[in-house]
Amino acid sequence: MDQDLSPSQYNQYNVRLGVWTNKSRGPVLGATLTVSKQDANLLISFMAFFIGYVGTRFWRVICIVLHRLYSTSKPMDAVYHQRQAILRNASSASSALSLFLRASLAWRRAKARCFVRILPGLVSAVCCLCAFVVAGGFSGRILTAIGDEVLLDGANCSTIKFARSELAIYLTWQIETLSAAINYAFNCYSSGITSSTLACNTYVVDKLPTAVMGFKAPCPFQGNICRSNTSNLLLDTGFIDSNDHLGLNFDPENRILFRKVLQCAPLITEGHDASYKIPGFNYTQYDYGNGFVRDLNYTRTELNYTYEVRDWESQYKEDYNKLATLTKSFILRSIYADVINRTHSPSTQFIPAPNLRRTDADMCLVFLSGNGVVFSDATHDNWYRGNVPCHKLLDEGNKRTFQYCPEDAASPIACLEQFQVCNGNVSRCGPLASFENAWREAAEAFDSRSGAFVNEAASRLTWFMLLIDSYPTRLFKLISSAGSDSLLSRHNLANGVQRRLLKNQWQLDVIFWWSTSLAVTQATFVEASRGIIDPSLARLREFPSNGAQKEMCMSQKITSTAHDSFSLFGVLFTFIAGFLIIITSYILEPLFAYLYRKSRYREYSHLEWTANGTLQLQRLAHEGQGLQDWAKCDEEVPITDPMVYLASLDISDLDHPRLCYPGPSNRSDQGSEQHAFDVSSGGSNNVSNTFDEERINMNYSQQQNPPAQSLYAYSANQDSEGEIEDMEHEEIELWGPLQTHRIS
C-alpha cells in the first residue's frame, strides 16, 4: 500500500463508472449509467441538441400530415395557399410560428375568418415549439431524475478488528470516527437544521429515521430505582432497510431489516452510594451491581461496587482555584453489561443488581461527574441536578449571587439497548434482544442453524452485524471514546461555567448520542466498502470471507456531486424515440412519392406538396413569365438549361416588386437555336441529353398551348380535376388549384 497518501485521499471514494442496476427501481427502470461530471455535462449538452433536432423533424411530420389533410383540388383563396406554403416550407416550429403570426396580422382586417383557418397550424407550432424547448432545457434534469446515487467499487473492502497489541492505534481510529460522526449528527440530525448542505450529501439518505421518540416513557426497571416513572426516554428506529436507508444494493428478497431500540432513565443515588477514603484521597463508590477490573494480562477481578469517583468535596473545594476551572469540563464514564444466550457475557464490566437486570437487552450505565464545573443557574434536570449553591459572586449591583454545583459526586443514567434483524420482510424476523442474541437467534429467519451461518443470506447477516459491532455504533463504545464531547450541553459550557440548561437536558443529550450512533451506522457500510486505507491500520484489517460478503461490498451506494447517474432507460428511450421520429420524417416524403408513382395514391396531395416547395414555387413564377425550359418538375429540385437566363426582380415600384423578363434574346423558344446542345457528343453539361429530349416536347407544347395569361384563361381549356397519365413534365399554374396535363 502507498505510504504517502495525502489526507484528502482518505476522503475519496472509488466510484464504479458505466452501467449498473439500481435494484430499488427494478431491472428496467433501475438500469443506470454513471459517468464523471465532465462526461455528464457533455451528454446533457448533446442530449439537448439532439432533442432540439428531433423537434425540427417532428415538426416536419406535423407539416406533412397537416398539408395533406388540408389539400384539396377545389379553387381556394390566398389564405389557403399561404397556409399550405408555410406548412411546406417552414423548416422549424419557430419559423412557422413567425410566419403564421405575420399571416394572421396581414389578414386581420379581412371579412373572412382568416385567423380561425390559420389557428390550427399556429397552435400546432406553439405546442411543438414549447414541448421541445422544455424537453431540451430540462433534458438533464429529466435524465438524472434517478438521483445522484452511484455505486462504489468495493475492491478494497475491509473493516477493522480489535487487537490488544494495537490498542492505541485502535482507540485513535475510534476517536477519529466518532469525531466525524458527532459533527455529522450536529449538522444533519439536529432539528431545525436543513440537511441540504454538502456535509450531509454523502449517504443515500441524510439521516436514518426514528420511528418512536417518547419523552414520557415509564421506568424500564423494577424497584422504584428510576428518578421518575413517567418522564423517561424511549427511542426506536423502526425497521431500517439495508437498501433504502443504508445503500446496500440488494434485491428485495435479500434485504436486511435492522431495528434498534434505546430506553434510558436517570437513577436514584440514595442507598447506592458510599464514601471511601484512603490516605490523601476521598472517593464515592456507587453500587448498582458488582463490577470488574482487569489487569494488564486481562485477568478479571470482581468488585463489590460498580463505579467510584472522587467525592464531591474533592471536586468542589471551597478555596478552589478559579484559574484552574477555566479548562474544566464534565467527566463522563460508561460501564456496560452485555448479554449472550440470555446471560451476561464474560466480557461484561459489571453484573447488574436484580432490580436492574434484564436478559433481553444490553445495559450501559453512564456516570456524569461535575469535575469542578459550576452552573450559572439552578438546574433541575434529573441528571445534571445542579441545585446546590456553592460559590458566592458579586454582580454589578453589589448583590451577592451564587453559582451552583451538582448534588452528587456522580449522577447515573441507565440505558437499555435492543436490536432486531429481519430477512427480506418483517414476517421473517429474529427477536428484539441484546446485540449478540439478536444476531444468533435470527438464524432461523435466515434459514440457518444457530451459530452456523453457512448460506448466502446468513453470510450477509454475519458481515452486516460484524460491521456494526466493529464500529462504535453501540452506546458504551461511543461514550467511552468520545467522553464529554458527546454531550450536547458542552456548546453552552465556557470557562468552567455551564450556562442555563433546559429541564430535560439529559433527554436532549441522550438523543444526541442516539443521532451520533445512527450517523456512525451510516458511515460503517460506506467506509467498509471503501476499505481501510490508512497504512497505520493495515495490521487491523479484516476482510470479507466469502462471495456473498464480497458481493455486499460491491453493492454499496452513496451520493456523489463529482458524478452523475442517468436513467439508462430514459437515455435509450430518448434516443430510440428520437431516431424513430427522425427516420419517420425522412421516410414519409419518399414513401408518399413511391405510392404516388406506383398507384397514383392521393396524386393531388402529393403534387401540391411538391409544387409548394420553395424551388418549385420559383419555377412556377418563372414559367408564368414564359420561361418553359424546365425538367424534374415533379421532384424537389427542378432544373433548366444552364444557358437560359431567368427573370430578375423589377423594383421600379418599391411597393410592388415583380419579376422582369430579361428580353427576347434569352427567350426559351429561341434557346434551341442560339444555345443548341451537342446531343451526339454528349456535351459538357450533365443534363444536356435531358434537355434535348424535353425541348422537343416543350417546343411542341408552346405551339399547341401558348403561355397562360391568367388563371381563368388557362383553366378554361383544362379539366378541373386534371387527368394525369405521364408526369415526366407538368404545367402547374402559380394561382388557382393545381392543374396537370400530358404533353403528347
Side-chain angles (χ1 to χ4, degrees):
M1 180 178 290
D2 187 358
Q3 300 294 320
D4 300 320
L5 290 173
S6 65
S8 62
Q9 288 178 287
Y10 294 141
N11 297 321
Q12 294 177 354
Y13 295 97
N14 245 356
V15 172
R16 187 188 304 178
L17 301 179
V19 177
W20 57 284
T21 301
N22 191 334
K23 295 181 180 178
S24 62
R25 299 176 180 272
V28 177
L29 297 179
T32 304
L33 173 66
T34 298
V35 296
S36 66
K37 200 70 174 181
Q38 182 179 3
D39 292 340
N41 292 335
L42 290 175
L43 178 58
I44 292 173
S45 299
F46 174 76
M47 191 66 68
F49 169 79
F50 177 76
I51 291 175
Y53 182 69
V54 171
T56 63
R57 301 313 304 172
F58 186 74
W59 172 247
R60 188 66 169 179
V61 174
I62 292 176
C63 287
I64 294 174
V65 172
L66 290 180
H67 192 281
R68 294 178 69 87
L69 181 65
Y70 289 133
S71 180
T72 177
S73 60
K74 298 178 181 179
M76 300 298 291
D77 60 6
V79 173
Y80 165 85
H81 290 285
Q82 289 178 356
R83 182 182 61 190
Q84 293 294 82
I86 292 173
L87 290 173
R88 176 62 177 87
N89 297 294
S91 60
S92 65
S94 59
S95 63
L97 177 61
S98 175
L99 290 171
F100 278 130
L101 288 175
R102 293 180 183 180
S104 300
L105 291 174
W107 291 96
R108 67 185 182 277
R109 296 182 179 177
K111 293 182 179 180
R113 300 175 62 188
C114 300
F115 179 76
V116 174
R117 296 164 61 193
I118 296 174
L119 185 60
L122 189 147
V123 171
S124 299
V126 170
C127 293
C128 181
L129 180 63
C130 291
F132 282 93
V133 166
V134 171
F138 287 90
S139 59
R141 183 171 297 181
I142 293 171
L143 296 176
T144 57
I146 193 172
D148 50 1
E149 291 182 356
V150 298
L151 197 65
L152 293 184
D153 182 84
N156 299 318
C157 180
S158 59
T159 186
I160 194 167
K161 60 183 177 182
F162 174 77
R164 296 175 185 174
S165 59
E166 303 289 346
L167 181 60
I169 296 176
Y170 177 84
L171 291 178
T172 300
W173 166 81
Q174 193 163 262
I175 291 172
E176 291 175 351
T177 300
L178 277 172
S179 178
I182 288 172
N183 290 333
Y184 188 91
F186 185 77
N187 290 323
C188 307
Y189 277 81
S190 300
S191 60
I193 298 178
T194 59
S195 56
S196 59
T197 62
L198 290 176
C200 307
N201 66 356
T202 298
Y203 310 121
V204 293
V205 292
D206 298 330
K207 55 186 177 183
L208 297 181
T210 298
V212 176
M213 186 176 292
F215 293 92
K216 301 293 184 180
C219 177
F221 308 108
Q222 300 175 357
N224 296 321
I225 198 171
C226 297
R227 287 197 172 273
S228 171
N229 288 321
T230 59
S231 59
N232 301 296
L233 187 63
L234 171 63
L235 300 171
D236 188 345
T237 61
F239 287 105
I240 295 173
D241 191 296
S242 60
N243 186 318
D244 298 339
H245 299 116
L246 299 178
L248 292 172
N249 194 32
F250 290 164
D251 290 316
E253 64 273 12
N254 293 330
R255 296 181 183 183
I256 297 174
L257 303 182
F258 175 73
R259 180 186 177 197
K260 181 177 180 178
V261 178
L262 180 67
Q263 301 178 73
C264 292
L267 303 181
I268 61 174
T269 56
E270 294 80 2
H272 296 275
D273 59 340
S275 297
Y276 173 73
K277 296 182 179 181
I278 60 175
F281 298 95
N282 296 329
Y283 291 91
T284 299
Q285 294 178 340
Y286 294 91
D287 182 15
Y288 296 95
N290 290 348
F292 299 94
V293 294
R294 289 178 172 79
D295 58 21
L296 295 177
N297 296 321
Y298 275 75
T299 301
R300 190 171 76 162
T301 302
E302 188 170 356
L303 306 172
N304 61 357
Y305 61 90
T306 307
Y307 174 70
E308 70 175 10
V309 66
R310 289 187 305 145
D311 66 359
W312 191 93
E313 286 77 10
S314 299
Q315 297 180 46
Y316 294 93
K317 292 182 179 179
E318 195 65 39
D319 58 345
Y320 77 110
N321 187 335
K322 292 185 178 181
L323 292 177
T325 64
L326 296 180
T327 58
K328 292 290 187 179
S329 62
F330 293 108
I331 294 177
L332 215 58
R333 293 289 184 269
S334 63
I335 301 174
Y336 69 91
D338 53 349
V339 175
I340 299 178
N341 296 328
R342 303 294 172 173
T343 187
H344 291 92
S345 72
S347 63
T348 189
Q349 292 182 333
F350 84 108
I351 301 295
N355 55 349
L356 288 175
R357 192 170 301 169
R358 292 276 297 266
T359 59
D360 62 341
D362 295 321
M363 177 180 288
C364 179
L365 282 180
V366 184
F367 289 89
L368 174 71
S369 299
N371 192 37
V373 173
V374 295
F375 297 86
S376 63
D377 300 277
T379 303
H380 301 287
D381 178 86
N382 277 340
W383 191 36
Y384 287 88
R385 294 187 295 130
N387 301 316
V388 179
C390 55
H391 298 301
K392 298 177 181 180
L393 297 174
L394 291 176
D395 61 16
E396 295 179 356
N398 292 326
K399 292 183 179 180
R400 192 175 299 278
T401 59
F402 290 93
Q403 290 178 325
Y404 298 86
C405 298
E407 295 180 13
D408 293 309
S411 182
I413 280 182
C415 291
L416 297 175
E417 280 187 297
Q418 294 176 294
F419 304 86
Q420 188 177 19
V421 287
C422 306
N423 184 13
N425 56 70
V426 295
S427 64
R428 305 176 63 191
C429 296
L432 182 65
S434 67
F435 182 82
E436 289 291 337
N437 285 348
W439 178 3
R440 294 168 183 266
E441 295 179 21
E444 183 177 349
F446 286 81
D447 303 320
S448 182
R449 293 179 293 109
S450 178
F453 294 95
V454 293
N455 59 41
E456 288 190 1
S459 293
R460 285 191 291 268
L461 175 64
T462 300
W463 183 251
F464 186 94
M465 300 299 280
L466 178 64
L467 292 181
I468 291 178
D469 191 41
S470 62
Y471 278 73
T473 60
R474 298 166 67 184
L475 190 58
F476 76 89
K477 288 185 178 182
L478 188 156
I479 295 174
S480 63
S481 296
S484 62
D485 286 342
S486 65
L487 293 173
L488 199 60
S489 61
R490 69 186 175 90
H491 296 286
N492 293 326
L493 176 64
N495 300 327
V497 178
Q498 179 66 60
R499 305 301 176 188
R500 178 174 295 181
L501 297 177
L502 299 175
K503 291 183 178 180
N504 67 332
Q505 183 62 46
W506 76 268
Q507 292 181 330
L508 302 181
D509 285 328
V510 173
I511 291 173
F512 189 65
W513 296 342
W514 173 263
S515 300
T516 303
S517 172
L518 296 182
V520 176
T521 303
Q522 286 181 279
T524 293
F525 297 93
V526 173
E527 295 303 317
S529 181
R530 179 173 64 170
I532 304 299
I533 61 176
D534 187 346
S536 64
L537 299 173
R539 293 190 296 271
L540 299 179
R541 287 187 299 174
E542 184 172 358
F543 299 95
S545 60
N546 55 47
Q549 295 178 358
K550 291 178 181 178
E551 182 185 1
M552 283 185 65
C553 294
M554 304 295 288
S555 301
Q556 181 63 51
K557 296 183 293 185
I558 64 170
T559 61
S560 172
T561 56
H563 303 81
D564 270 329
S565 289
F566 296 88
S567 168
L568 190 61
F569 174 82
V571 172
L572 293 178
F573 178 83
T574 301
F575 277 118
I576 292 174
F579 278 121
L580 287 176
I581 292 173
I582 292 172
I583 292 171
T584 301
S585 70
Y586 282 109
I587 284 179
L588 278 181
E589 292 183 70
L591 176 63
F592 288 137
Y594 173 80
L595 293 175
Y596 161 73
R597 295 187 183 280
K598 288 295 184 181
S599 60
R600 294 293 187 263
Y601 175 73
R602 298 197 64 175
E603 53 192 21
Y604 188 89
S605 297
H606 171 71
L607 291 176
E608 186 182 22
W609 174 266
T610 303
N612 283 155
T614 302
L615 298 180
Q616 289 290 359
L617 289 175
Q618 183 187 55
R619 173 186 67 82
L620 292 172
H622 286 284
E623 282 189 343
Q625 293 295 317
L627 303 176
Q628 301 291 327
D629 286 353
W630 293 90
K632 300 185 178 179
C633 296
D634 61 343
E635 299 181 11
E636 185 78 16
V637 181
I639 60 175
T640 185
D641 187 336
M643 302 305 294
V644 172
Y645 295 101
L646 302 182
S648 58
L649 194 63
D650 179 4
I651 60 173
S652 57
D653 184 353
L654 295 179
D655 293 330
H656 192 173
R658 66 189 69 197
L659 292 177
C660 178
Y661 185 66
S665 61
N666 290 326
R667 286 184 61 88
S668 59
D669 58 352
Q670 297 178 11
S672 59
E673 299 175 2
Q674 298 180 12
H675 307 291
F677 291 166
D678 185 357
V679 179
S680 61
S681 61
S684 59
N685 194 295
N686 293 332
V687 296
S688 60
N689 290 337
T690 301
F691 274 101
D692 285 336
E693 182 179 350
E694 292 288 332
R695 193 181 314 279
I696 299 172
N697 293 332
M698 292 298 178
N699 289 336
Y700 178 80
S701 174
Q702 290 170 357
Q703 295 174 8
Q704 300 296 323
N705 299 291
Q709 300 301 317
S710 69
L711 164 67
Y712 306 104
Y714 179 78
S715 299
N717 298 322
Q718 301 296 323
D719 181 5
S720 61
E721 296 298 327
E723 180 182 1
I724 304 175
E725 298 178 1
D726 182 0
M727 299 310 299
E728 276 297 319
H729 183 77
E730 297 85 13
E731 291 292 340
I732 305 176
E733 284 301 323
L734 186 58
W735 303 281
L738 179 65
Q739 302 293 334
T740 60
H741 66 278
R742 181 173 64 88
I743 304 299
S744 57

